[in-house]
Amino acid sequence: MIQKPRGTRDFLPEDMESRRNVEGTMREVARRWGYQEVCTPEFEDLDLFTMRSGDGIIEEMYIFEDKGGRKLALRPEITASIIRMYINEAKVTPKPIRWCYFADCFRYERPQKGRYRQFWQFGVELIGADTALGDAEVVMLADDMLNSTGVTYELKIGHLTFMKKLLKDVEPKIQRKVMGHLDKKDFDGLKTTIENIGNTDLYNSLIALVNCQDLKEAFEIAGPIPEKDRIEQTINLLNVSGIKYGFNFGIARGLDYYTGLVFESFAQNLGSENQILGGGAYRLAHLFGGDDIASCGFAIGFDRVMVSLGEIKRIKETVVGVVSTNEGRQRAIEVAREFRNAGIRTEMNIMDRGIGAQISHASKSADYVVVIGQREVESGNVTLKNLHTGKQKTVDLPEAIAEVGAYGAR
RNA sequence: GCCAGGGUGGGGUAGUUGGUUAUCCUAGGGGACUGUGGAUCCCUCGACCCGGGUUCAAAUCUCGGCCCUGGCCCCA
């Protein structure tokens, strides 16, 4: 028997129903903020991703060569594609550009809870708004979107300027190492690294910065910073917006193209893979041959949100089963069509079974059953049976449709 | 890439000091029931992850692989 590839999942109808619900909720929030959905290719030129993230990621990508000898990769993320698309198709679109996407990505990693080799991201990119209000909007939208799914999370906001300032005299290689320690809250490792370069003041400042929960204090720790006004504006806007967040000035988000604001969200009951959102302000376009335009965006780990939400109680829509005898078969098709035209989910019997067996089967999924036999064909009425009460009556078709329609969703 | 625990019909399981036809529940199909359901009864379908080794004999012991779950590493 053929197994599905490692790290992939099959989704049965119940799974898809809740996934589509949550996806729809996120899309609706994006729509209300004016973000329009876009779509990019499932695979791209390998260089697109290595230019953004370095050669190190080759190990963790699905890479292949096509028949023309092109080196391609299944996308491990969407942001690079979005920016490429902006450069290719939308450079002259009036700014700001508000885009969102829902798409699957592929990474060759060891699967574990909340981590799969094929996974979905819902993301948002705001392009061409290098303002405090733009940054704030993206954070507010992120919060609105997570909130609307019902997931329990905490939002952490940081800014790279503080750490960059403290580390400006440290050589880049050590910088990365230090940022790595801070991102992981690995203070022992941090201490060792700092001791090796012989700067204990720096250690104390960094620890103070990471633990800092007050913006004023962060400025005191880091000293004069040119971006001070912009940062204060952004944070003030967030405070006014009423969203709940905490500071974490230790967020490094790994890479160099982030320029300032960064933020992350974490959910409960997810084990070690508990980050459900990550984002920030960045400049990428110039890497791909475009103008040096500012962007801000985030991506939600959709599958992790689903895992965190767990079993969602679904609203079940009303279902009608249409059963019939041989004599009633043609009339049954007409009746089923009328129910469907009224917007009711209607499942017609298509098995070669007796009435009893047909009803027996319908009762597993349906709320009502409509019986069409010789008698109904002759009278033009239908027999409508409520499978919850067991009561049935013979009525004309409009009345039957009206009753089922009035039953509503449960 | 590393570590731990796992893998028996579609789902859930029993069996593992090697030994007859591999247990039970559930789900599926058919019937008792040719116009009335979930009950009951009967019939039926269907499994030892893969490969090598030990042995008269392997679901059981052993080795390797694959996959699952969780943790580490990584996390764009």
Side-chain angles (χ1 to χ4, degrees):
Chain A
M1 193 167 54
I2 308 278
Q3 302 289 333
K4 65 184 180 301
R6 181 166 165 79
T8 63
R9 291 154 295 160
D10 293 320
F11 300 106
L12 290 165
E14 308 88 77
D15 303 323
M16 284 312 294
E17 205 174 310
S18 18
R19 288 176 70 90
R20 290 296 190 206
N21 276 339
V22 175
E23 175 197 336
T25 302
M26 290 180 180
R27 191 174 276 121
E28 169 60 16
V29 172
R31 189 195 66 78
R32 288 201 295 246
W33 284 73
Y35 285 72
Q36 293 181 292
E37 187 164 5
V38 293
C39 185
T40 62
E42 200 88 13
F43 52 88
E44 296 263 12
D45 197 305
L46 172 62
D47 293 342
L48 178 69
F49 303 115
T50 54
M51 281 165 90
R52 165 167 146 113
S53 308
D55 289 344
I57 61 163
I58 287 178
E59 303 252 308
E60 311 210 313
M61 279 196 287
Y62 282 88
I63 295 172
F64 61 99
E65 201 168 285
D66 73 4
K67 293 180 182 182
R70 302 171 186 88
K71 285 237 188 244
L72 302 170
L74 296 184
R75 58 185 175 205
E77 47 124 355
I78 316 285
T79 301
S81 296
I82 297 286
I83 297 305
R84 177 200 52 69
M85 181 191 197
Y86 159 74
I87 295 165
N88 292 162
E89 328 278 351
K91 251 195 289 197
V92 295
T93 302
K95 310 295 182 295
I97 295 173
R98 291 185 170 101
W99 282 348
C100 70
Y101 59 83
F102 177 72
D104 54 345
C105 306
F106 304 84
R107 293 183 190 175
Y108 194 86
E109 297 182 291
R110 178 78 171 78
Q112 55 185 280
K113 187 175 189 182
R115 176 190 278 182
Y116 311 96
R117 288 183 172 180
Q118 182 196 21
F119 60 97
W120 275 258
Q121 289 190 335
F122 197 107
V124 155
E125 309 291 348
L126 172 65
I127 302 169
D130 193 3
T131 62
L133 204 45
D135 288 350
E137 169 166 303
V138 172
V139 176
M140 290 188 285
L141 171 53
D143 186 69
D144 193 5
M145 200 174 278
L146 283 183
N147 223 349
S148 67
T149 66
V151 75
T152 306
Y153 65 96
E154 55 177 26
L155 175 63
K156 294 289 185 186
I157 292 172
H159 202 284
L160 296 179
T161 306
F162 300 96
M163 206 187 292
K164 280 185 175 167
K165 175 78 190 301
L166 289 178
L167 295 173
K168 71 178 189 323
D169 295 327
V170 178
E171 61 174 293
K173 204 174 149 190
I174 305 292
Q175 270 189 23
R176 280 181 173 253
K177 209 169 169 184
V178 167
M179 287 167 90
H181 289 312
L182 289 172
D183 207 35
K184 270 179 277 181
K185 293 203 162 41
D186 173 16
F187 298 141
D188 290 340
L190 176 68
K191 195 163 193 175
T192 314
T193 304
I194 301 279
E195 274 167 0
N196 284 343
I197 60 168
N199 188 344
T200 41
D201 286 353
L202 181 58
Y203 176 77
N204 291 331
S205 301
L206 286 170
I207 295 294
L209 184 64
V210 170
N211 291 324
C212 177
Q213 281 301 310
D214 180 80
L215 189 59
K216 240 186 212 166
E217 203 183 309
F219 284 120
E220 281 163 21
I221 295 166
I225 285 173
E227 295 93 331
K228 188 164 186 261
D229 280 356
R230 165 78 175 267
I231 296 171
E232 280 176 347
Q233 280 178 42
T234 306
I235 298 302
N236 281 340
L237 289 166
L238 292 179
N239 290 340
V240 170
S241 78
I243 68 171
K244 289 198 185 106
Y245 68 91
F247 285 118
N248 179 1
F249 295 107
I251 298 176
R253 292 208 61 68
L255 295 170
D256 306 328
Y257 49 80
Y258 281 100
T259 51
L261 180 76
V262 285
F263 53 99
E264 299 179 333
S265 286
F266 303 89
Q268 296 165 332
N269 66 29
L270 281 182
S272 63
E273 299 294 320
N274 64 339
Q275 187 182 338
I276 55 168
L277 176 147
Y282 61 91
R283 285 175 183 272
L284 261 186
H286 61 285
L287 282 182
F288 308 146
D291 44 352
D292 186 23
I293 196 165
S295 313
C296 187
F298 65 84
I300 291 174
F302 183 79
D303 305 276
R304 292 184 185 175
V305 170
M306 295 308 297
V307 172
S308 182
L309 286 173
E311 286 293 308
I312 307 169
K313 46 179 185 304
R314 302 190 314 277
I315 298 164
K316 286 184 69 182
E317 61 178 331
T318 305
V319 179
V320 169
V322 177
V323 306
S324 56
T325 62
N326 286 332
E327 301 78 38
R329 210 117 297 167
Q330 287 183 33
R331 173 65 179 151
I333 292 175
E334 294 169 15
V335 168
R337 185 173 57 221
E338 291 307 313
F339 271 95
R340 292 184 187 119
N341 285 344
I344 295 163
R345 176 171 154 185
T346 307
E347 297 173 4
M348 198 171 64
N349 171 67
I350 50 173
M351 300 296 275
D352 202 8
R353 300 195 255 235
I355 283 286
Q358 290 183 45
I359 293 175
S360 173
H361 180 262
S363 67
K364 284 167 192 161
S365 60
D367 303 289
Y368 285 89
V369 74
V370 170
V371 183
I372 307 293
Q374 183 70 37
R375 295 202 291 270
E376 286 78 7
V377 172
E378 282 165 8
S379 70
N381 290 330
V382 300
T383 298
L384 179 69
K385 186 181 182 76
N386 181 322
L387 289 170
H388 297 287
T389 63
K391 285 178 184 159
Q392 74 176 48
K393 53 187 165 187
T394 301
V395 292
D396 64 20
L397 186 50
E399 198 181 328
I401 291 172
E403 175 167 344
V404 174
Y407 185 70
R410 288 169 298 128

